[in-house]
Amino acid sequence: MKINTDIRLRSSAFICGLFLCLPVNAGKNPLDVFLDGLETFSADFEQRLLDSSGEVLETSKGTVQLRRPGMFSWLYREPYTQKIISDGKTLWIYEEDLEQVTISDASAAVQDTPALIFSGHYDIAEHYVINELENDAEYVWLELTPRNLEAQYRALRLAFSDNELSGMILFDSLGQTLLITFMNSRRNPELEREYFRFTPADNIDVIDARKTH
């Protein structure tokens, strides 16, 4: 079954925003506790994209690796293969079935996205309203709402268990919801910088969307 390309692009945009960087001034909250001393992070994930009525549009699985500041590798393995990789300056989105990679400036990709939440270059409280939600039996919840009324998403909720990030819920401006659950997470594993660069093979079409080449 062919995957809807628009869905892929929306999911890619969310992920680019979530993992490009890391914060410096979010006040004392569960996010600060998680980030204290964090240098690298890796986990398996399951992601579900829901429409406005709660119907599942797509379920996908893969792995994520993160290195401060600004480096990440988000690899989809099911139901298709896609790689979203950034070294903090350049962003690569590789579509295996299309034999195509799109290259863009990481700074442009984070504009007006949840990347500001994870950025070391911004005062997060200047851009987001931060609320600790009522905890349930399993998780501690934190909600961040963008102050910019024209943002592409309405809110981001983060779930923590034993001071570790367990999941995310992103509500976009179109009424869709992205649910991400992390499993087998590892804090501060050894991750080389080479993991966060992508070199396309000779047979791969390259779309270079950077401002300067």
Side-chain angles (χ1 to χ4, degrees):
M1 179 178 67
K2 185 174 179 57
I3 301 298
N4 187 305
T5 302
D6 290 339
I7 292 176
R8 282 198 204 179
L9 292 175
R10 286 196 295 272
S11 296
S12 300
F14 296 158
I15 299 309
C16 294
L18 288 169
F19 282 98
L20 277 171
C21 306
L22 293 168
V24 287
N25 184 19
K28 191 170 182 60
N29 56 53
L31 181 58
D32 287 325
V33 175
F34 169 69
L35 292 169
D36 185 22
L38 184 71
E39 297 180 0
T40 61
F41 175 80
S42 69
D44 300 324
F45 71 86
E46 180 174 293
Q47 174 180 305
R48 290 183 295 157
L49 183 65
L50 313 182
D51 65 15
S52 57
S53 64
E55 181 180 351
V56 177
L57 298 175
E58 178 183 280
T59 298
S60 51
K61 297 180 180 180
T63 59
V64 60
Q65 295 177 323
L66 170 70
R67 175 174 173 145
R68 300 179 70 172
M71 301 180 187
F72 72 87
S73 175
W74 190 275
L75 308 180
Y76 289 93
R77 305 190 188 282
E78 299 177 25
Y80 51 84
T81 298
Q82 182 188 55
K83 298 181 180 180
I84 306 174
I85 299 173
S86 177
D87 62 2
K89 296 181 179 179
T90 303
L91 176 72
W92 296 267
I93 300 179
Y94 170 58
E95 308 277 359
E96 182 180 80
D97 57 342
L98 300 178
E99 297 184 339
Q100 173 182 293
V101 61
T102 301
I103 306 174
S104 59
D105 293 321
S107 59
V110 305
Q111 186 175 5
D112 196 27
T113 72
L116 290 177
I117 297 169
F118 297 90
S119 173
H121 306 290
Y122 300 91
D123 180 351
I124 193 172
E126 181 180 341
H127 297 274
Y128 297 90
V129 177
I130 305 168
N131 290 304
E132 293 191 41
L133 303 180
E134 183 176 351
N135 302 334
D136 57 32
E138 200 169 355
Y139 301 115
V140 175
W141 289 93
L142 189 71
E143 182 173 81
L144 296 96
T145 305
R147 296 183 185 276
N148 179 7
L149 299 180
E150 297 181 358
Q152 299 173 11
Y153 57 97
R154 297 182 290 109
L156 171 68
R157 292 180 182 174
L158 306 176
F160 298 90
S161 177
D162 295 327
N163 296 328
E164 294 298 327
L165 183 63
S166 298
M168 299 179 174
I169 306 176
L170 183 64
F171 304 92
D172 79 3
S173 57
L174 300 176
Q176 295 183 338
T177 304
L178 191 69
L179 307 176
I180 304 172
T181 302
F182 296 113
M183 301 156 290
N184 304 319
S185 61
R186 297 175 60 203
R187 185 180 182 87
N188 292 333
E190 184 175 348
L191 299 177
E192 300 296 334
R193 291 179 179 271
E194 288 72 22
Y195 293 157
F196 306 100
R197 292 190 59 83
F198 180 81
T199 302
D202 293 339
N203 64 327
I204 300 300
D205 291 332
V206 177
I207 300 175
D208 196 333
R210 289 173 290 187
K211 294 180 181 179
T212 58
H213 298 172

